[in-house]
Amino acid sequence: MNIIVAIKLVPDLVEELKISEEGNSLDLESLRLRVNEFDEHALEQAILLKERGAGRVIVIALDGDGAEDALFTAAAKGADQIIKLTGNPAPLVSNHTLARWLAPVIKSLQPGLVLTGVQAHNDLDGPLGPLLAEYLDLPYVGYVAKAAVKDGEVEIRKEYPGGLAAEMEVDLPAVLGVQAAEQPPRYVAFSRIRQAMKTVQLEGRRIPDLFAEEQITVARLFQPEIGERAAIIAGDVDEIAARLVEIFAELDLL
Amino acid sequence: MAVSAVTQRPTFSEIFYTSLQKLPDGERVRACLQCGTCSGVCPFGYLMDYPPSKMIAALRAGMFDRVLKTDNVWMCVSCYACTSSCPAQIPLTAGLMTRTKEELLLAGNVPIELQDALENTQRYGNPMGESPRKRAAWARGIEPPVKIMSQINRPVDVLWFVGDYASFHPRVQLSSRALARIFNLLKVDFGILGHEENSDGDSQRLAGERGLFELLVDKNGKVFQKYQFNQIVTADPHAFNALKNEYPKLGVNYPVQHYTQYLCAKLDLLRPLLRHEIKARVAYHDPCYLGRANGIYQPPRQLLQAIPGVELVEMPHSAANSLCCGGGGGGMWLEGYQWEQAHARLSEWRVREAVAIGADILAVACTYEIPRFEDAVKMVQKASRLVIRDISELLLESIGE
Ligand code: SF4
Ligand code: SF4
């Protein structure tokens, strides 16, 4: 069985986010990308399934800064096949668009199970998993925290808010949105990644020109604006503290 | 009937033993007398199921897989105490302990805290996961400004390799600022690499991540090549050790000094500036990678003695016999793991020694140590009066800036 993992790169919040001059996207120059953390859990769960004999793991990522590193890292961790989607106009696209691009490739790989992170912090238009399931016409379960494949089914543990959890069986093929793998994503020594770079073949698949455009246009992207009754106090810690005391005094709160 | 030779595949113990003997001075492991000195001096030896001498015994008995199962080699803080006391001069720290960590790491058996530090180093070039773009932020506001090599476009005398903790840790930044001011007062022509500097990688190497270390050497080496300078100076003994002993093996070879050596050589210029008295009993903690690993004991002491009023006192463990602060070999990133195993911190042990000899100040010369000892002071009884200062901070205080 083929276990497909779709990973995506998202803005790394270790750097401050800047808005581009056009004012409708992030400034790509100053942006640093990293693999969505939930996708790392999806990959870990896939490799655990593989280690228990469930099948081969195929990892797909959209081309962009860091995509190759992420794919070779996945190969070093145990993925059998890595694929890069090329021909995209930008490294960051909406999930509707990404799902449309991924679906035909995933379909051609005859998926038994499709895993992806349950969400990402830049899911403007809903998470990727349900959109993929829609385009692939497969069932979807999100917030998965454990999965085991058995006789054409996948047994999963799904988490709900408030600490509730359910165990359920889903017919294969299916799409799962992974919240957490059964164990934290494993560490892979850098020498293994380097070895993968030398020995593992990275496949490229071109996005059909027909679909190559972004489906959603962002009219305006902006930092939170200061509301009427809000103020941002500038200065160092002491100045800010002094000003806060003043304000509390003015409001008769002290 | 002809009898064909039976070829047996070598066992893991055999492969490991052979690989160990191929390291520099590695063949000495065969001369181990099983005297147990190494395990006795090891600060965490009492906790390890297999301290160094027992590891060697297991290796010889072909049972090294048992050693790997216990995974308590993660208690090793690469302090060189075993190595420097071994009568057979076996490279225990750099050889046996580090190779064992490498095996665990390749097998993916890594405590999660260490994993985070290693992943951060891969991703950001520093173990704490800070933005590499902010690597020079500590220097903001210093006058005259600290020069960043990519911005000045000219050779400098001294390239200051700042290092991870000195760049990013808010407490250690204060000691970096102190050193920058001293350099300015001494009119040192120096520059830093800013965002182009990557972790020196030495502690990652000693935590078993050899491949990552090689990557960092490659990155730093390429940056060094871009600029002209006469020598490197660093306040980080781990960076110092790497640049002095390990980078050259990979073809990156520059003269390097620890800042205490550099300032000590300039003591004639520095001494007249040390005008203000610091009336205190000062104990100096020898960092493992300045002392035992590199034999530098005197320059830090000479600097302290140059400060008027300072009475230098020695702790029971000092110089070659110094006690590790617990931060080396990945210890900085194994705090939780080691606490779980030991319910003891080496830094607290050290602070107790300083208190016991009546020190007012514990002076350090390693960028890992200030926060480690300041934390320990909060935990140790009767230690609240003990002040932790980097030597650079004491010098600046005496200068009166
Ligand atoms: S100190 Fe050296 S000779 Fe003695 S047991 Fe340890 S490794 Fe062997
Ligand atoms: S290097 Fe230090 S901590 Fe590691 S085994 Fe030797 S004495 Fe113990």
Side-chain angles (χ1 to χ4, degrees):
Chain A
M1 176 175 91
N2 285 335
I3 304 167
I4 319 289
V5 185
I7 60 175
K8 72 171 187 171
L9 291 135
V10 296
D12 189 333
L13 301 181
V14 81
E15 306 289 2
E16 259 162 61
L17 299 180
K18 287 196 193 121
I19 311 272
S20 70
E21 278 182 17
E22 295 75 39
N24 62 354
S25 64
L26 291 172
D27 173 37
L28 291 179
E29 277 288 299
S30 64
L31 204 60
R32 167 188 283 276
L33 297 176
R34 60 162 296 168
V35 175
N36 173 30
E37 284 190 66
F38 292 101
D39 294 351
E40 286 178 344
H41 281 267
L43 174 64
E44 181 62 35
Q45 188 61 59
I47 290 169
L48 288 173
L49 289 173
K50 171 194 160 159
E51 286 171 350
R52 291 176 202 146
R56 300 174 71 241
V57 174
I58 308 173
V59 183
I60 313 180
L62 191 61
D63 201 6
D65 242 6
E68 293 196 1
D69 286 350
L71 288 168
F72 284 121
T73 304
K77 286 183 175 182
D80 300 277
Q81 195 180 343
I82 49 176
I83 300 173
K84 176 172 89 165
L85 271 190
T86 64
N88 47 316
L92 295 176
V93 293
S94 71
N95 281 339
H96 277 81
T97 304
L98 184 58
R100 276 169 61 108
W101 291 347
L102 284 169
V105 181
I106 293 178
K107 201 168 222 160
S108 75
L109 296 167
Q110 292 165 323
L113 192 58
V114 181
L115 300 181
T116 189
V118 67
Q119 63 189 56
H121 61 59
N122 72 339
D123 288 340
L124 288 174
D125 53 337
L128 181 65
L131 292 163
L132 268 180
E134 171 66 20
Y135 286 124
L136 291 166
D137 200 16
L138 295 177
Y140 171 80
V141 185
Y143 299 93
V144 170
K146 192 178 181 181
V149 170
K150 216 164 138 190
D151 311 327
E153 282 180 346
V154 58
E155 288 175 358
I156 55 164
R157 181 188 161 89
K158 175 184 164 74
E159 297 196 336
Y160 291 92
L164 294 175
E167 281 171 359
M168 54 180 84
E169 284 149 16
V170 186
D171 289 341
L172 294 175
V175 181
L176 303 181
V178 177
Q179 157 100 348
E182 280 159 62
Q183 64 180 40
R186 66 194 64 199
Y187 185 72
V188 59
F190 191 73
S191 57
R192 291 223 194 281
I193 301 176
R194 200 180 331 231
Q195 198 180 5
M197 286 173 175
K198 286 189 195 134
T199 54
V200 178
Q201 204 197 333
L202 175 66
E203 278 175 52
R205 300 276 179 106
R206 242 194 112 71
I207 299 158
D209 290 340
L210 197 60
F211 294 136
E213 266 175 44
E214 170 61 273
Q215 299 294 299
I216 291 175
T217 30
V218 175
R220 181 173 166 237
L221 193 68
F222 53 98
Q223 301 277 4
E225 289 174 341
I226 302 170
E228 262 177 45
R229 285 180 58 83
I232 289 179
I233 307 170
D236 67 23
V237 180
D238 293 334
E239 289 161 7
I240 293 171
R243 180 69 196 121
L244 278 176
V245 172
E246 266 174 45
I247 293 172
F248 292 150
E250 278 165 27
L251 295 173
D252 241 358
L253 291 170
L254 293 181
Chain B
M1 197 177 78
V3 181
S4 61
V6 182
T7 48
Q8 257 189 341
R9 277 184 37 185
T11 63
F12 173 71
S13 286
E14 285 162 355
I15 297 171
F16 188 84
Y17 202 15
T18 312
S19 82
L20 209 54
Q21 293 177 47
K22 288 199 181 120
L23 296 173
D25 297 326
E27 71 293 340
R28 291 190 186 155
V29 68
R30 290 164 56 189
C32 169
L33 336 157
Q34 286 294 296
C35 65
T37 310
C38 50
S39 305
V41 294
C42 175
F44 278 140
Y46 69 101
L47 279 169
M48 297 179 180
D49 294 329
Y50 288 93
S53 56
K54 272 200 178 176
M55 285 170 77
I56 295 177
L59 204 48
R60 288 174 171 174
M63 303 192 309
F64 202 65
D65 40 326
R66 294 197 194 175
V67 175
L68 290 192
K69 271 192 204 112
T70 69
D71 88 357
N72 53 146
V73 69
W74 293 125
M75 293 307 289
C76 167
V77 287
S78 301
C79 71
Y80 269 84
C82 52
T83 310
S84 77
S85 58
C86 170
Q89 296 182 313
I90 299 167
L92 292 167
T93 310
L96 179 68
M97 302 315 281
T98 305
R99 276 289 296 118
T100 306
K101 291 179 192 172
E102 281 171 13
E103 286 301 330
L104 284 177
L105 197 114
L106 280 172
N109 180 353
V110 189
I112 194 90
E113 313 155 75
L114 178 59
Q115 171 168 348
D116 282 347
L118 297 175
E119 280 173 353
N120 282 334
T121 310
Q122 266 190 40
R123 195 176 290 138
Y124 307 113
N126 67 74
M128 43 278 258
E130 295 285 343
S131 157
R133 284 180 202 141
K134 297 186 185 137
R135 205 166 171 108
W138 64 269
R140 239 177 253 149
I142 291 172
E143 285 300 332
V146 174
K147 295 180 281 287
I148 298 174
M149 293 306 284
S150 59
Q151 294 169 5
I152 57 169
N153 205 15
R154 68 164 177 82
V156 292
D157 180 25
V158 169
L159 179 72
W160 178 2
F161 190 93
V162 184
D164 298 324
Y165 286 83
S167 297
F168 289 115
H169 191 289
R171 173 61 184 89
V172 191
Q173 285 176 343
L174 299 179
S175 68
S176 303
R177 294 175 69 86
L179 187 55
R181 292 208 168 87
I182 296 171
F183 281 173
N184 278 343
L185 287 166
L186 294 175
K187 304 216 166 15
V188 177
D189 175 30
F190 72 100
I192 64 171
L193 293 170
H195 68 281
E196 289 185 298
E197 182 181 288
N198 270 279
S199 176
D200 56 276
D202 211 41
S203 290
Q204 292 89 334
R205 173 179 70 85
L206 290 158
E209 224 326 355
R210 175 94 209 156
L212 181 57
F213 176 70
E214 286 169 2
L215 173 79
L216 295 166
V217 175
D218 188 53
K219 285 188 177 178
N220 282 323
K222 286 201 175 108
V223 180
F224 293 153
Q225 259 180 11
K226 282 170 64 177
Y227 303 113
Q228 277 181 296
F229 50 87
N230 294 323
Q231 72 161 114
I232 299 177
V233 170
T234 181
D236 183 340
H238 301 272
F240 171 73
N241 181 63
L243 291 164
K244 178 166 171 271
N245 303 316
E246 301 298 327
Y247 278 46
K249 292 181 198 156
L250 296 167
V252 178
N253 203 345
Y254 295 91
V256 58
Q257 280 187 309
H258 187 255
Y259 87 88
T260 53
Q261 293 176 292
Y262 182 79
L263 290 184
C264 201
K266 287 192 180 301
L267 206 48
D268 287 347
L269 290 174
L270 185 60
R271 204 187 298 271
L273 302 176
L274 303 172
R275 277 185 297 244
H276 298 263
E277 221 179 45
I278 301 180
K279 258 200 112 30
R281 282 166 71 83
V282 180
Y284 168 63
H285 164 79
D286 290 272
C288 305
Y289 281 83
L290 216 50
R292 264 191 302 272
N294 287 295
I296 298 165
Y297 301 110
Q298 284 317 311
R301 289 180 168 79
Q302 283 167 12
L303 289 173
L304 287 170
Q305 278 167 328
I307 300 174
V310 162
E311 182 197 346
L312 189 64
V313 288
E314 296 291 345
M315 292 179 280
H317 288 91
S318 101
N321 192 26
S322 176
L323 193 64
C324 179
C325 75
M332 276 313 259
W333 318 307
L334 285 164
E335 208 76 64
Y337 175 86
Q338 292 180 347
W339 176 256
E340 237 172 64
Q341 307 272 326
H343 287 280
R345 287 193 190 92
L346 297 183
S347 50
E348 292 175 20
W349 184 354
R350 195 53 160 164
V351 161
R352 275 196 291 274
E353 282 197 349
V355 172
I357 60 158
D360 307 302
I361 296 174
L362 178 59
V364 302
C366 170
T367 54
Y368 285 9
E369 286 163 1
I370 316 176
R372 296 189 71 78
F373 288 141
E374 286 191 346
D375 286 349
V377 159
K378 293 170 202 146
M379 301 301 295
V380 172
Q381 284 195 343
K382 298 199 187 122
S384 58
R385 279 188 47 248
L386 184 70
V387 173
I388 314 295
R389 287 283 181 275
D390 191 86
I391 292 176
S392 59
E393 295 173 322
L394 293 172
L395 291 171
L396 194 67
E397 195 182 322
S398 173
I399 292 169
E401 284 285 314

